[in-house]
Amino acid sequence: MTRIALCQIPVSPDPSTNLKRATEALAGAEGADLAIFPEATLTRYGRRITGMAEPLDGPFVSGLAEAARRHGLSVVAGVFEPGEGRVYNTAVAIDEQGGLRAAYRKIHLFDSFGAKESDLVAPGAEPTVVELAGLRVGLVTCYDIRFPELTRALVDRGAELFAVIAAWGSGPLKEDHWVTLVRARALENTMWTAAVGQAPNPAESSDGFGVGRSMLVDPLGVVRADLGTGPGVRVVEVDHEWTATARTTLPCLEHRVL
């Protein structure tokens, strides 16, 4: 068993507020091996991100790493990292000793539903699997979930869990898309999938980011936990024996032709 804390927090434009919320969430994740936070935990989306981006040794990631070390658990969280002209939308993976183990730069940018993330964000290029809490964790950020070829690439790199982080936009059918896509990526890859989104932030609701609905989905696509819309931290269990059972029942990875 691996115990995972789904940390569904609201995100403010202010990084210090968000770091405080994240450290409080870690304090409430007692017994977890790995805590997962949303995309853009550093600061809320908007044109401000080009000025708010921090290097990976900056105060936000350093503060999160210290909290991870203090509480003895690994962390995945979304930040913005400076680039040339644009920023990177980066998922950082921090181990239980506070060491930065990986930084995944989001590959698929959200140029859809009237948004154009690529105006502010440069794309990454490399699928990333990182060893955390004794697991090989494949990192997926928000719009990436619409692209099944990415999660298949993570499987081919040895992923044992998908960690999906998001600042999912609200709108007609959008919440349904989120639930459907997370379950589909879990089921088609017979993979435990921990998906964490921002909780709605009433003070910043005009931008539409954050629908909540953080979930743990098992390898047969069953939702084992769903946090709904409110902020919260829930510790859930990943049963690795169930992965083997599911793959015996549904050996679709063995049946791949392409």
Side-chain angles (χ1 to χ4, degrees):
M1 294 282 190
T2 302
R3 292 170 61 82
I4 297 175
L6 308 177
C7 299
Q8 181 168 290
I9 64 171
V11 174
S12 161
D14 176 33
S16 63
T17 297
N18 297 326
L19 181 58
K20 182 174 184 291
R21 287 174 177 163
T23 55
E24 289 172 349
L26 290 177
E30 185 176 351
D33 305 297
L34 169 64
I36 304 175
F37 288 90
E39 177 188 25
T41 299
L42 169 70
T43 185
R44 199 166 183 84
Y45 259 107
R47 295 209 166 265
R48 75 181 73 83
I49 66 175
T50 56
M52 304 291 282
E54 294 183 7
L56 299 183
D57 59 356
F60 187 85
V61 174
S62 296
L64 202 56
E66 170 55 27
R69 187 200 62 75
R70 187 166 63 250
H71 292 288
L73 75 173
S74 299
V75 172
V76 172
V79 301
F80 295 107
E81 181 189 359
E84 294 185 9
R86 294 181 289 174
V87 302
Y88 293 105
N89 185 342
T90 302
V92 294
I94 299 166
D95 67 22
E96 70 279 5
Q97 296 177 332
L100 181 65
R101 296 295 302 273
Y104 164 65
R105 293 171 172 176
K106 183 180 180 182
I107 293 173
H108 302 97
L109 302 182
F110 185 58
D111 289 1
S112 298
F113 292 95
K116 197 164 176 59
E117 185 178 13
S118 63
D119 282 348
L120 304 173
V121 177
E126 188 63 30
T128 301
V129 175
V130 58
E131 184 90 25
L132 287 177
L135 279 179
R136 289 184 58 78
V137 180
L139 302 177
V140 180
T141 301
C142 204
Y143 193 51
D144 281 335
I145 198 71
R146 294 186 182 271
F147 299 88
E149 57 269 28
L150 175 61
T151 46
R152 276 295 160 91
L154 297 173
V155 169
D156 288 341
R157 285 164 170 78
E160 299 170 301
L161 170 82
F162 296 145
V164 183
I165 64 173
W168 203 258
S170 60
L173 295 177
K174 291 294 298 301
E175 188 174 322
D176 187 56
H177 289 186
W178 165 252
V179 174
T180 300
L181 289 161
V182 171
R183 292 186 67 196
R185 299 296 83 84
L187 176 57
E188 70 196 4
N189 294 292
T190 51
M191 183 74 72
W192 284 98
T193 300
V196 177
Q198 291 183 14
N201 184 344
E204 304 291 339
S205 59
S206 61
D207 63 23
F209 291 117
V211 300
R213 298 302 303 275
S214 300
M215 292 182 291
L216 178 71
V217 182
D218 79 12
L220 290 181
V222 176
V223 177
R224 296 292 190 97
D226 183 332
L227 271 64
T229 58
V233 176
R234 186 178 303 179
V235 177
V236 295
E237 289 188 341
V238 168
D239 181 349
H240 306 294
E241 291 185 2
W242 177 242
T243 302
T245 300
R247 290 180 176 177
T248 299
T249 303
L250 178 63
C252 57
L253 293 178
E254 296 179 22
H255 293 162
R256 291 170 62 185
V257 176
L258 299 178

